[in-house]
Amino acid sequence: MVSKRKLSKSDARGDSPIAELPQTKKSRISCKEKTSAEDGVVENDNIFVQLIKTAGISLNAGERQNDIGVDQATFQKKLCQILRKHPFYPRVVQEFISGLETHIKDRDQFRNCLLPCAPVRGEGTRNLVHSYCESLIKLLLGIETLQPAVITLLLEKLPEFFFDTVGTFGTNFPRLIVNQFKWLDKILDSKDLVMKLMQMVSVSPATIQHDIITSLPEILEDSQQSEVAREVSLLLKRDSRLTVPILDALSSLDLDAGLLAEVRQSAMIIVPAVKLEDLPVVIKFILHNIKAVDAVEVISALRKNLDLSSCILPLQMLSSQSKLKSQPQTSSSTSQVSSSQNCVKLLFDVIKLAVRFQKGISEAWIKAIENTVSMSDHKVLDLIVLLLIHTTNTKSRKQIERVLRNKIPLGCVPEQLLQSAFRNHSLIIKDFFPSILSLAQTFLHSADPCVISFGSCMYKQAFAAFDSYCQQEVVSALVTHICGGNDVEVDISLDVLTDLVTLHTSSLIRYATFVKNILDYTEKLNPQQIRKLFYILGELAFSQRQEDSYIQDDMHMVIRKWLSSTVPKYKQMGIIGAITVAGSMAAKRSKEDRCSLERTQQSEEHCRQLSILLDLVSYCCEQSPEALALYYDELANLIEKQKGNLDTQILERIGKSVVEDFSNDFVVDLTPAVDGVHLFPVKSLYNLDEDESQGTIVINLLPLLSQNWLGKGVDEMATRNQGKKIVAPACLSPSFRLLRLYTTEQHNGSMEEIDALLGCPLHLTDLEIEGKLDSLTTQEREFLCSLLFYALNWFREVVNAFCQQQDLEMKGKVLTRLQNITELQNMLGKCLAASPGYVPPRAIFDCEALEAAPTINAVGLVKKKKTGGKKQKPEGSKDSSADHSQMEENPEGNQLEAETTQLEKVLLDTTEKKSGIPLVQLQSYRAFFRELDLEVFTILHCGLLTKSILDSEMHTEAREIVQLGPAELAFLLDDLCQKLEHILIPPAAKRAPFLKEEAALKIKGTCLNMQDFQQGKACRKIGFSHLCQRSSQEVAQCAVELLKPLCNHMENMHNYFQALIIENQGVVDGPRVNIQEHQLMSSCYQQLLQAFHLLFAWSGFSQRENSDLLRSALKVLADRLKPGETEFLLLEDLISESFHYLLNFQHSIPNFQCALTLTQLLIVIAEKPVTSWKKDKIASLAKQFLCQSWMQPSGMREKGSQFSDALHTLLCVYMEHTDNILKAVEDISSVGVPELINSANDGYSSTYPTLTRQTFPVFFQVMMAQLENSVRSISAGKPLDSSEVQLEKLLHWNMAVRDFHILVNLVKVFDSRPVLSVCLKYGRLFVEAFLKLAMPLLDYSFKKHREDVQSLLKTLQLSTRQLHHMCGHSKIHQDLGLTNHVPLLKKSLEQFVYRVKAMLAFNHCQEAFWVGILKNRDLQGEEILSQDSEENDPGEGVSQLPREDPAKEEGDISGSKGGSEHDDDDEESSE
């Protein structure tokens, strides 16, 4: 009755025009709602409409949304009150729902009920209605009285839309319906709702299933999440199409650890096959809630399954399709590509969020990448993620830099990977540009050339891929590196700018002002860097017509300033800059000419500028022989580089002067007598044109040198005062090079105009110097040395000039000139040995010169150094093994000693034994010889040639066979190897340049800046100026073309040594062996193998563009075994055939160095790719060489530091390629070493003849290092490991501990300092590895394999006790190098004791553990007396108990008290 009164009260106010129930029911069944207009307000006497309107919402039809005039809460409260106060309550609720059902039969009205209501702002309701209001249905679901019925009604309506497409009525009704259940304040029966929704999932189409599942996290209550998550996860196994919505939903639910791991594993499996647009969702779930313990494992599995190449392929396909279709289709494809790129970007956004907000994700990802060992397993994903972490997590930057520094030199992160990242994912990487710039700058500061090269590649790729802002930053960074003055950074930055100006000229021109500023910092640049800088500026200045004239003006101003300077360095820079700019001007003319159909002359203005510039340079160089020589060399380089592009006027102008100058200055007619006073009598030598009746010409070398030598000061001053050009022998070779290149350019490669210079003689003196050197004065000896240097350089340039001539007679003369070179080098070696402190004349002029002459102190230092080396060598050889084994303490110093010793050894052999190989001696003087061109090595193709000797009637009188002999072959191969090593092998893979530094000190009087030698890199480039103008690919191509003749020569060497072995019945030092010939042929064999190794070790073969070149190289080798059958072989088959071909040379290897080189060559071949049988073959070959006795032809065993280095390398190769390292270590230590111990003092192991007392430290170090490395590959024990797995790991550890015990106990016999140092270092590392990897295994296997665990610990305890004795020995002897290892080793031994105790406690065997005190003892077990009175301690004898009581096990702990050391021993019982 209360409700009636309230109802009547409301009626009196006129607020609720409610009809009688029968009428409303009738209208629901038979009446239809009426609207005032098509999109007007719904007008009906339906109770639903009436009540809704009364509560504050006006229902609209058509496209208009429902209007709400009150606050949402007010509407819900008012409607709830109306229903509760209705006289027919609760029947009115059913009538209300019926009215709702009728209302939503119309789709437009249903849509309006599902869409948010539109607020109506009247004058009195401005502040009552929010800007956003919920839909009518959601408001009704918020009323508890109506919620169950409305939910049922919505779920009943849902099937009506199962097969509607989204666009039919413009609205996705199923999604709108499901959205109504989200974020409800309260659900009366949530279980029922979820059950009905899950039932709906089982019968609905995929799109509706997707909407329902993804909405579950917003519908469920917290208490339901775990149960529903398990039910949803079951769907994952039944229907893979629902993977993405299920994972999306589960990532928002609270899952227990077990279910999370299970679902994560299921998601991990589908990562490779999931669609690109769904991939971010899958990755998001996998990275969701990762625990720190599982993070590394999960990330490792993820990066293994996630391959960005699957993301790239659709992009490439779409972009390629768009090129073949019409414009509308192209735009459609472009949008698809953009969508795909957005998906990939979204993927990395997901990773970025995980890295930023989930603790441990970044560390786990870095660790996963760090743990990846195989080069092929590294992906573009790794690089991008590292950049992402570097950008996102500042704390991890140092760690990322360290990882990249370690990975890059190993080839795990090659530049191809970086290029792929920039090429395919530039949109993503652009966000990491600050990190890219920072890493590139850091890498350029590195000492590793591989890392430096990677940093330069980052700069180039960033400039090419990013916008103008990034390009400007890149150029600024490069300019900063150049202006910083660091030689390595300057070189690499200039190389980067050179590549950019070549590939992206138009882009770089915008930043030309930045590059021009480098001209203010040229003080620190060397000549080669000046050449690069002016090439860059020249390309920028002359690439466009008038826009960059300011750069031209600045360059001309700087060049004029330098040329007018009296300082040689600046004049040198001016010459190089001027000729480089002239080359750029010629290149500009060439580009202009190519635009027309026929070649035309340069414009008069252009030609005039070039002429003025060249005239200026020529005038400024006339008074300085070295400047003039440099000018000739630079002009020659310009002609060679601009083949066919130089204007004929300029070429003729250059040629006219050079032909006249050369003929007037250096060539005279051959006469019986030579006028003038000279230091030595003049004699014409090395004439190859025997017919002298036709007026033979001669190179006037000795008179010219004598004139300069005797009247240096007076004549030069007089010549300068007269303004005449100074004629000096230093200009002979450069002038001829220019003449030769000019002639070939003018006559299309023909050399007929100057071919007389090939066979013409030189004015020298009698070179029979045996026994005469001692009678000469210092001045005369130095004059003779200079004469020989000039003659050698003349012949080298002659060989450069005529090496490609096809005429047989010319070829014969070229080979004769090679013989002349080897003869002169032999003489020069003897003269140099008698002329300490001598300064050779300069032959290479584009390097820095000394500002002052060498002092007398420098000469004295050289003498002392040379004599000291000879005296100290015998002493050093006695303990060479000790010196070698100290390399882990001072590797660089030892390497220097090794190289120097080998150099001096060869020098001694050359001087005393006259072996005829002065090449090694003269390698120190490489900077004073003219550079051989790559074309010279075409001589290697030559077979036997004949040289005709003609009589006076021009009839052939005899035919003399001219052959490429061993000395000439060794000369060519030595130079070839130096060139291949310089250009193909990065410096990081080479030995440190200590040999070159030492050689530089021995010739301290050189005209080169000695700081260049100390810097290493500058020294490396001296003598390779022409070579460095070629790319590594061009050099590799030349080397591949030489493979056939190289194979011929190597097969000849093989046959020679095979015949020698047969002739001497297998005895190397037999009586019939010619020692000198054997050494020469061995040197050739070594150089041939080295040349093969340097070529195939070139990293460029891994690049796709060089795959054909690699195939061509392998085909040459394979053809030697199967001629004519290799044309269609696969690459893998070519590799196998090449491997077998090279393997055949193993039986003719003459010395250990050749054996190592052959093994390294086979490894390089096998790495493309390596297979198990190749690995076994390499291990077998290495063991064969280790088990071979290596004797010298003199009967001595091979020894010395170089032999020890090679032995160390080969032993490492054997250990790394054998299938069982532990077995190999045990075999050497238990078989080879006992044989050595039982042999005489100078004896060796019969099984391993390379194992001697001198080489034992090498074997010991390698075995200890490989043993420690091997045990680190054993995975740590896990609780879930099966008994079989545990037993297998225990057996592995048992063998490792046994090997360790054998090696540690060898110290009692071989107690030298290097052996002790190695044992202390690797002993600690082994114990640490045992604690980390073996002890977890013992924790879980102790109960099942108790006897095995006890035996393992007992053996290891004996080894740790011996390590403790070594610590005491080190302190007693007060050896700082040994005692440095003691604290860390003591700490590890202590940790071992307590870790064993913890293991026993874990297995409830604490009573098996007890602690005692060990006495301090020396290596032999003798007690070290202490100042403390601890001998009375009752536990002092504990150390002997394990030997007496096998039921107990002992471990060591180190401590100190009062200056003495104790060991607390833990014992465990077998009970």
Side-chain angles (χ1 to χ4, degrees), residues 1008-1060:
L1008 301 172
N1009 189 347
M1010 301 313 298
Q1011 294 178 352
D1012 287 348
F1013 283 99
Q1014 297 169 0
Q1015 291 171 355
K1017 187 172 180 65
C1019 176
R1020 237 176 42 85
K1021 291 190 175 182
I1022 296 177
F1024 297 108
S1025 300
H1026 305 152
L1027 183 71
C1028 289
Q1029 295 179 17
R1030 299 173 182 252
S1031 67
S1032 59
Q1033 188 173 8
E1034 291 175 328
V1035 176
Q1037 178 68 49
C1038 294
V1040 170
E1041 293 173 358
L1042 294 172
L1043 280 180
K1044 285 186 180 180
L1046 291 178
C1047 286
N1048 292 332
H1049 290 299
M1050 194 156 72
E1051 289 167 11
N1052 291 336
M1053 297 296 155
H1054 172 78
N1055 296 333
Y1056 170 82
F1057 284 106
Q1058 283 285 85
L1060 197 64

Side-chain angles (χ1 to χ4, degrees), residues 191 232-233 358 396 542 567 785 913 1021 1053 1362 1383 1440:
K191 289 185 178 181
V232 170
S233 65
Q358 288 184 241
S396 302
F542 297 102
V567 179
C785 288
K913 300 179 182 179
K1021 291 190 175 182
M1053 297 296 155
Q1362 183 64 26
Q1440 301 300 323

Side-chain angles (χ1 to χ4, degrees), residues 1320-1334:
L1320 289 172
K1321 175 184 176 180
Y1322 289 102
R1324 173 182 62 84
L1325 296 176
F1326 185 91
V1327 173
E1328 289 177 352
F1330 188 88
L1331 292 172
K1332 182 179 180 180
L1333 302 173

Side-chain angles (χ1 to χ4, degrees), residues 47 73 76 78 89 403 573 608 639 811 933 1098 1173 1320:
I47 190 171
Q76 289 177 323
K78 193 170 184 180
Y89 181 81
V403 170
M573 292 162 62
R608 189 182 66 83
I639 295 175
K811 284 187 176 182
D933 295 337
W1098 179 45
W1173 70 266
L1320 289 172

Side-chain angles (χ1 to χ4, degrees), residues 1297 1301 1349-1359 1442 1445-1450 1467-1468:
V1297 169
H1301 177 63
V1349 172
Q1350 179 180 336
S1351 173
L1352 180 66
L1353 289 174
K1354 188 181 292 293
T1355 305
L1356 182 59
Q1357 187 275 332
L1358 296 176
S1359 303
D1445 185 0
K1448 294 186 176 182
E1449 157 63 15
E1450 184 179 6
E1467 304 289 338
E1468 55 177 301

Side-chain angles (χ1 to χ4, degrees), residues 125-143:
T125 61
R126 172 176 294 183
N127 299 324
L128 298 178
V129 184
H130 293 289
S131 59
Y132 174 80
C133 300
E134 297 288 357
S135 66
L136 173 61
I137 295 295
K138 195 154 193 175
L139 291 174
L140 296 179
L141 287 172
I143 301 174

Side-chain angles (χ1 to χ4, degrees), residues 383 414-424 457 461 1105:
L383 187 58
E415 292 181 6
Q416 292 82 5
L417 207 66
L418 182 68
Q419 294 167 3
S420 177
F422 275 92
R423 181 174 60 251
N424 300 314
C457 187
Q461 295 298 322
E1105 57 267 25

